[in-house]
Amino acid sequence: MSRCCIHPSILSADFVNLEAELARIGSADAVHVDVMDNHFVPNLTLGLPVVERIQAVSPIPLDAHLMIADADRWAPLYADLGLASVTFHAEAAMAPIKLARELRARGSKAGMALRPATAVEPYLDLLGEIDMLLIMTVEPGFGGQAFLDVTLPKIRRARAAVDGSGAKVAIQVDGGISASTIERAAEAGADVFVAGSAVYGAEDPAAAIAALRASAEAALRAGGPVR
């Protein structure tokens, strides 16, 4: 049985002091690194050289979320950095099966992300090819957005499909995750939670991480056995 995982997003961190900001979340399961290219999404954040330096100093594994165009070309280069997990957007990949296999071959877990309006059903046959399915609970591109409850039915359908397939696929949610929304996401079937301002905006990030994890696990226990 696995516990819920909390992945703080450094999109809400102080970019001038990233190494110190990473140290503040040492109790998390991984650090979520948002890579944006100002093409796939209307924002620009980090690229390969910065992620490479983060990988070198981070006390916890890196979970990269690539909100970039031409994922088939760029995603394998992030896996080459030694990242624990690399997630590409299905909407930005021409050959998602090939890409997922390449990420795994290069030593990273393979994640696939879907925008809020992208249906999950066309991708259910790919569950055996990925390690994590990221269901965006806001439109990708900016932090601080409000959680979209309209995504909860999609999370439930994804969870039912994963459980029915027997595949060992984590369901990650990203966007608007906080003390007031994490239980709803967990009840729907998510087990990996990206939280930005809910962690970095707290006076004590470690306490915020612990509280989020406890809330998610309590919601899962209430709804059935913890996966």
Side-chain angles (χ1 to χ4, degrees):
M1 297 200 304
S2 64
R3 63 176 184 167
C4 295
C5 295
I6 306 298
H7 292 193
S9 168
I10 58 171
L11 191 62
S12 297
D14 179 358
F15 276 25
V16 176
N17 300 291
L18 275 182
E19 187 169 1
E21 293 286 74
L22 290 167
R24 298 175 69 204
I25 59 169
S27 62
D29 300 281
V31 55
H32 190 79
V33 180
D34 296 290
V35 178
M36 307 182 194
D37 64 356
N38 198 31
H39 292 285
F40 181 71
V41 293
N43 198 5
L44 183 65
T45 56
L46 312 171
L48 275 166
V50 176
V51 175
E52 184 175 19
R53 288 298 300 139
I54 295 172
Q55 169 71 8
V57 302
S58 178
I60 55 177
L62 263 62
D63 163 33
H65 176 195
L66 306 183
M67 289 166 273
I68 61 175
D70 200 3
D72 305 78
R73 173 187 177 187
W74 291 106
L77 301 183
Y78 285 88
D80 286 343
L81 299 179
L83 275 57
S85 177
V86 176
T87 296
F88 61 89
H89 267 265
E91 304 93 344
M94 295 294 293
I97 294 175
K98 178 182 177 182
L99 179 53
R101 291 181 178 181
E102 189 165 2
L103 294 176
R104 284 174 159 181
R106 297 190 186 203
S108 290
K109 290 184 177 181
M112 183 174 65
L114 303 176
R115 288 178 179 249
T118 300
V120 69
E121 284 75 15
Y123 300 98
L124 295 181
D125 288 342
L126 278 64
L127 290 177
E129 304 290 343
I130 60 175
D131 302 289
M132 184 167 67
L133 177 63
L134 167 53
I135 296 179
M136 292 298 299
T137 46
V138 300
E139 285 296 335
F142 294 92
Q145 300 182 62
F147 183 87
L148 294 174
D149 284 278
V150 70
T151 61
L152 290 172
K154 182 162 70 170
I155 298 170
R156 293 190 185 98
R157 295 195 300 273
R159 171 51 63 194
V162 168
D163 291 348
S165 71
K168 295 183 178 179
V169 177
I171 296 181
Q172 185 181 66
V173 286
D174 180 4
I177 298 300
S178 66
S180 64
T181 62
I182 194 167
E183 289 186 3
R184 299 204 295 278
E187 287 167 354
D191 49 16
V192 181
F193 305 88
V194 177
S197 56
V199 172
Y200 275 113
E203 184 174 341
D204 184 344
I209 290 166
L212 289 169
R213 184 182 286 121
S215 293
E217 291 184 347
L220 277 181
R221 286 194 297 271
V226 177
R227 290 173 286 272

